[in-house]
Amino acid sequence: MEGTRVEKDRRVKGYFIAAVRTGNALVLEELLSNGMCALDMGKVDGMSCEEHLTISGHTAALEVVLKHSPVKTWIEEYHEILKKHNPREYLIWQKTNSCRPEMTTMNHELANRKAAMFAAIRHNQPGCLDLILTHGVDFRARDFFLSKGVRQPMATVHLAAALGMSDCIDVLMRHQTKAYADKSNRVSGMRFYRHTRDMDGTNCWKTPMIFAAENGHHETMARLMQHGINIDGTNTYNHLSSCIRFGALDAIFVLCQHGAKCYSKPTDHFTPEGPLHHAIKIGNIRIVEIMLRTLGTVDFRPMITDETSEQVAELLRKMSSEPRTLAHLCRHVIREMLGEKRCYFVVDMLPLPKRLKSFVKLVE
């Protein structure tokens, strides 16, 4: 009798694995409706069934698995608490239910969904990503990702921006993950401290916009701007200034192409210090040259101090005393008329030679 039951369980598990591999939603519906639990089936090809279905793009089958979660009510309650962004309420709820067996099941389920969520971004599966976020997942979760040869902690929006997954950006902006779209990838909390104590301040300073700029994903930057993310950053976190501080030259160039503001004209009562002032103080002549491409005729001599490097001071005096070239002034006017923040894409619609389009995009 025992052998018959073991044989039956083995065959049922075989049906489940085959249905996951092929994305057969009907078979999965039949199996899960009759009391089978996806968690009890273990790994499929070394992955959870949610992650496997996500990578394969089987949206219908994934929806069936998420719908038949044994702790569906618990995950929904957990998700609603997370939406309130109230850590105290979450800790009270967790402490109250810590001894319940459902909590262990829920934690396993959430771990599988987290892996599936990041797999959906890596493999550009916006449909699967939308399903996972809708059915409940820890949207605050971060994953460690190798970017530019450095292992960096990334939230969902940061990873999508770094990989240039514009469709995934659209999905993420419809959910609670939008709250992280203008924040850096700096990690807070003791559970991440061991992994990031050597990274913070060196690699944990980039926002999704900087990740997209650093990797040259212009379409992704445009999507972020469409969703209300400012190319300049926030009042407390300026994108260009952060890039200047860490010498991210590629990101600075792309941000300038898309109209990031590097200079504000002084008034009678106030002289604002913008990214250009920071670049001059650091003395990086390559960054200063890139920023000067975005400006028209400006007197830069008041920015020169005793601490300014000789090369930068000479460049600024030259730009202030000699008139800018006609080509440069024309480019400046064209960019202003098209709109600095729209120019990169609008200029491609004009019937102009490719070389002229590149020049308007600050390529020299």
Side-chain angles (χ1 to χ4, degrees):
M1 189 71 179
E2 187 68 27
T4 306
R5 183 178 298 173
V6 170
E7 178 64 23
K8 181 181 177 183
D9 290 344
R10 188 183 64 79
R11 283 192 286 107
V12 169
K13 185 175 181 179
Y15 294 148
F16 179 83
I17 291 173
V20 170
R21 285 174 176 163
T22 57
N24 194 323
L26 293 175
V27 173
L28 287 173
E29 180 72 50
E30 184 68 25
L31 291 171
L32 295 173
S33 298
N34 286 293
M36 176 184 281
C37 177
L39 281 173
D40 296 337
M41 296 297 102
K43 302 286 186 180
V44 180
D45 300 329
M47 298 174 281
S48 66
C49 64
E50 293 94 338
E51 187 176 0
H52 197 293
L53 291 168
T54 298
I55 292 172
S56 305
H58 298 308
T59 311
L62 177 63
E63 187 173 13
V64 170
V65 172
L66 295 174
K67 184 175 66 175
H68 287 282
S69 168
V71 285
K72 182 179 178 181
T73 308
W74 282 72
I75 289 178
E76 287 175 354
E77 186 178 349
Y78 171 79
H79 200 238
E80 288 301 318
I81 290 173
L82 289 184
K83 285 181 184 178
K84 297 176 184 177
H85 297 282
N86 188 335
R88 181 176 174 80
E89 185 176 347
Y90 166 69
L91 289 172
I92 293 171
W93 180 82
Q94 190 180 45
K95 188 174 181 179
T96 305
N97 300 292
S98 58
C99 297
R100 300 287 295 272
E102 290 89 347
M103 282 292 286
T104 304
T105 307
M106 187 192 78
N107 289 332
H108 284 300
E109 182 86 25
L110 288 173
N112 291 343
R113 292 190 183 188
K114 173 194 167 184
M117 177 173 65
F118 283 102
I121 296 170
R122 286 195 180 95
H123 294 84
N124 197 23
Q125 298 288 355
C128 294
L129 180 62
D130 193 29
L131 275 175
I132 295 164
L133 289 167
T134 302
H135 281 82
V137 68
D138 187 354
F139 51 81
R140 309 165 307 166
R142 293 172 185 258
D143 196 17
F144 286 90
F145 182 73
L146 196 67
S147 176
K148 297 282 184 179
V150 179
R151 190 165 174 262
Q152 301 183 14
M154 292 192 183
T156 48
V157 190
H158 297 76
L159 181 60
L163 296 176
M165 304 303 184
S166 301
D167 293 335
C168 290
I169 289 285
D170 289 338
V171 172
L172 291 167
M173 289 297 159
R174 294 200 298 268
H175 294 273
Q176 289 72 32
T177 45
K178 185 176 182 179
Y180 303 94
D182 60 354
K183 291 180 172 58
S184 72
N185 64 325
R186 186 175 181 85
V187 176
S188 60
M190 289 303 295
R191 67 191 178 117
F192 286 110
Y193 176 73
R194 180 169 54 86
H195 300 289
T196 58
R197 59 189 170 195
D198 298 325
M199 295 184 187
D200 276 4
T202 305
N203 302 312
C204 301
W205 57 274
K206 299 173 187 174
T207 64
M209 187 69 78
I210 293 176
F211 272 118
E214 182 182 53
N215 292 281
H217 299 309
H218 299 278
E219 177 61 29
T220 304
M221 293 177 70
R223 296 285 182 94
L224 286 168
M225 286 190 279
Q226 285 174 11
H227 290 287
I229 307 304
N230 195 331
I231 188 74
D232 296 311
T234 63
N235 292 333
T236 57
Y237 196 92
N238 185 278
H239 289 152
L240 276 177
S241 295
S242 299
C243 292
I244 290 165
R245 180 185 171 194
F246 292 97
L249 192 66
D250 294 339
I252 290 169
F253 177 62
V254 176
L255 287 168
C256 287
Q257 282 185 307
H258 285 270
K261 194 173 184 180
C262 61
Y263 173 77
S264 299
K265 288 184 179 180
T267 63
D268 295 336
H269 306 288
F270 179 63
T271 302
E273 284 205 6
L276 181 59
H277 290 78
H278 301 158
I280 293 169
K281 284 181 180 179
I282 289 174
N284 192 321
I285 193 166
R286 294 183 65 192
I287 295 176
V288 174
E289 283 177 343
I290 289 172
M291 291 187 170
L292 292 180
R293 295 180 197 176
T294 67
L295 302 174
T297 304
V298 178
D299 186 4
F300 301 106
R301 284 171 293 189
M303 300 183 190
I304 301 172
T305 64
D306 296 336
E307 298 176 358
T308 307
S309 68
E310 290 184 11
Q311 279 187 316
V312 174
E314 186 181 347
L315 175 65
L316 294 175
R317 289 192 191 98
K318 181 181 177 183
M319 291 293 180
S320 302
S321 58
E322 298 179 7
R324 307 299 293 268
T325 63
L326 182 59
H328 174 86
L329 293 174
C330 288
R331 174 172 64 185
H332 181 65
V333 172
I334 290 170
R335 288 180 64 85
E336 280 191 336
M337 293 183 70
L338 294 178
E340 291 276 356
K341 292 178 171 57
R342 298 181 302 153
C343 178
Y344 188 88
F345 294 103
V346 173
V347 74
D348 285 330
M349 302 176 187
L350 302 176
L352 299 173
K354 187 176 180 180
R355 187 176 176 184
L356 182 54
K357 289 180 181 178
S358 298
F359 183 72
V360 174
K361 292 178 181 180
L362 306 181
V363 179
E364 292 183 358

